[in-house]
Amino acid sequence: MTLEASASIAWVNNVVQTARKLGVEPEVLLADAELPLEALNWERWPIDFITRLWHAAERCTHDPGFGLKTGSEARPVNIDVLGIALQSAATLRESFTLVQKYQRLISDGGRFQMLPGEQDTWIVYHPCQGRLAFSPHQIEAVLATVVGLNSWLLGSRVQPTRVQFSQSQLGALATYRQVFSCPIEFEQAFSGLLVSNEVLDKPLPQADPVLAQLHEQYSSDRLIELEQESISLPDLAEWIKSRVGETLPRRSDAARALGMSERTLARRLDAEGCTFKGLLDDARKSLALDAVRESRQPLADIAQSLGFAEASTFYRAFRRWTGMPPARWHKHHNT
């Protein structure tokens, strides 16, 4: 497991299944996305891989409503083990709290925020894309999933008061109205749904406090396992090295990429006998040695490229790393 954000294969399968219903076979879809067919056997996908899959689905299906269709057909099985826990929650509001808490089991590609009001609550989706820009269909699929899945949990149609997207309209307005059955706005400040508190607090027909506790414990255990799997020191070292520049990567950045708290990351690194500060120092040392050995850049430029405020600070660090000043070290290693 690398530091790349990832998504559960359960969510990937939903995309593949929808494309298949529209006449695009999995091997065609993955070939267009330049992904190996055996990727369908992986437990999780890097977030950029699933973004490539979404863009391939756009090209192959030529369907402007692809994201809405994918989300509308989502069921608990498509959100990994969390789908089981949601079914025994007391209310939809409680189920959203579970999603917020265990979002990473589904995907690192976004998070939900609830903004309660007197009569309604905004359910806001904040996408967290990787190196590739998300397909707008991904955002539409998430909001359509919220409506479709919660209608399934409640046993009756959940109709938001209002829906808005931060992006432009993709297809016919009638398609959006069919999914959401409410006023829809585009190019807004955020993407989300406004849902009445009465709907959110209505008891779910399958609510079971005993099962809810068991399911949440299982979700918690699975999340811990996922976090433990997520730390690979070579991958973390490479991630740090790739982000060293005039602005240095922070431990909070790495924790966010891993989907865990800074405290958890610090604890995991301590168990491995290292610290984030030490890994960052190693990365800067490696880059500094390469730069001094192979470059004719002025030391001041090298220092700035490695996040040192002053050349003198870089000079002292280099002596600490090698036992000699940069010029002497360069001469020693190039003779």
Side-chain angles (χ1 to χ4, degrees), residues 58-137:
E58 290 180 52
R59 293 188 295 267
C60 293
T61 65
H62 305 288
D63 190 335
F66 182 80
L68 296 175
K69 291 176 181 176
T70 302
S72 298
E73 297 185 9
R75 292 295 178 265
V77 68
N78 297 123
I79 56 171
D80 208 270
V81 298
L82 189 54
I84 301 173
L86 299 187
Q87 295 179 64
S88 53
T91 64
L92 289 182
R93 190 182 299 277
E94 184 177 298
S95 74
F96 271 114
T97 301
L98 288 173
V99 170
Q100 288 178 298
K101 191 173 182 179
Y102 301 109
Q103 169 71 41
R104 188 157 190 250
L105 295 178
I106 310 169
S107 172
D108 297 316
R111 63 181 180 84
F112 285 100
Q113 180 184 18
M114 296 181 72
L115 303 174
E118 290 186 8
Q119 297 182 333
D120 306 276
T121 294
W122 272 110
I123 299 168
V124 180
Y125 179 66
H126 300 281
C128 303
Q129 62 192 25
R131 292 184 177 88
L132 301 179
F134 270 5
S135 160
H137 290 277

Side-chain angles (χ1 to χ4, degrees), residues 20-324:
R20 192 169 198 169
K21 289 177 181 178
L22 294 172
V24 180
E25 292 300 317
E27 55 268 26
V28 174
L29 184 63
L30 269 74
D32 189 273
E34 298 183 349
L35 297 170
L37 189 59
E38 59 265 26
L40 293 177
N41 297 320
W42 299 347
E43 289 187 12
R44 292 182 72 85
W45 276 29
I47 205 69
D48 281 341
F49 277 30
I50 193 170
T51 295
R52 285 161 58 183
L53 188 75
W54 275 100
H55 285 299
E58 290 180 52
R59 293 188 295 267
C60 293
T61 65
H62 305 288
D63 190 335
F66 182 80
L68 296 175
K69 291 176 181 176
T70 302
S72 298
E73 297 185 9
R75 292 295 178 265
V77 68
N78 297 123
I79 56 171
D80 208 270
V81 298
L82 189 54
I84 301 173
L86 299 187
Q87 295 179 64
S88 53
T91 64
L92 289 182
R93 190 182 299 277
E94 184 177 298
S95 74
F96 271 114
T97 301
L98 288 173
V99 170
Q100 288 178 298
K101 191 173 182 179
Y102 301 109
Q103 169 71 41
R104 188 157 190 250
L105 295 178
I106 310 169
S107 172
D108 297 316
R111 63 181 180 84
F112 285 100
Q113 180 184 18
M114 296 181 72
L115 303 174
E118 290 186 8
Q119 297 182 333
D120 306 276
T121 294
W122 272 110
I123 299 168
V124 180
Y125 179 66
H126 300 281
C128 303
Q129 62 192 25
R131 292 184 177 88
L132 301 179
F134 270 5
S135 160
H137 290 277
Q138 289 174 270
I139 312 300
E140 294 194 347
V142 170
L143 296 194
T145 295
V146 171
V147 172
L149 186 56
N150 282 284
S151 296
W152 189 91
L153 291 172
L154 191 60
S156 60
R157 184 173 178 78
V158 171
Q159 184 174 328
T161 306
R162 178 178 157 199
V163 174
Q164 66 179 45
F165 293 95
S166 59
Q167 61 207 38
S168 301
Q169 181 177 332
L170 298 180
L173 191 58
T175 306
Y176 291 93
R177 288 175 175 159
Q178 184 178 359
V179 173
F180 300 110
S181 301
C182 69
I184 303 155
E185 297 179 335
F186 300 92
E187 300 182 16
Q188 301 300 305
F190 61 83
S191 296
L193 308 98
L194 188 63
V195 182
S196 75
N197 292 331
E198 182 181 356
V199 171
L200 288 176
D201 296 325
K202 187 177 297 185
L204 295 180
Q206 299 183 74
D208 188 320
V210 176
L211 283 178
Q213 186 174 3
L214 290 173
H215 292 154
E216 182 169 4
Q217 184 59 55
Y218 182 78
S219 297
S220 178
D221 292 344
R222 182 67 190 98
L223 185 60
I224 291 171
E225 290 175 7
L226 189 58
E227 289 182 349
Q228 290 173 336
E229 293 167 1
S230 295
I231 291 191
S232 161
L233 286 184
D235 288 333
L236 179 54
E238 188 61 33
W239 182 89
I240 293 172
K241 189 175 180 180
S242 70
R243 283 160 176 78
V244 169
E246 294 184 22
T247 301
L248 297 175
R250 300 170 299 177
R251 189 174 69 180
S252 59
D253 299 326
R256 192 178 306 111
L258 284 163
M260 63 179 67
S261 69
E262 278 193 73
R263 183 176 297 180
T264 299
L265 175 57
R267 188 170 61 249
R268 298 276 189 262
L269 291 176
D270 184 62
E272 297 287 344
C274 62
T275 64
F276 185 83
K277 182 179 179 180
L279 292 174
L280 177 58
D281 191 61
D282 289 344
R284 295 172 96 187
K285 174 185 175 181
S286 175
L287 291 167
L289 297 185
D290 289 343
V292 172
R293 180 191 300 114
E294 301 170 7
S295 174
R296 296 182 179 274
Q297 282 184 289
L299 289 181
D301 291 348
I302 295 175
Q304 184 177 16
S305 72
L306 296 177
F308 289 94
E310 303 287 343
S312 59
T313 310
F314 170 66
Y315 184 91
R316 288 194 297 272
F318 199 92
R319 288 201 66 138
R320 173 170 58 83
W321 291 327
T322 67
M324 60 182 74

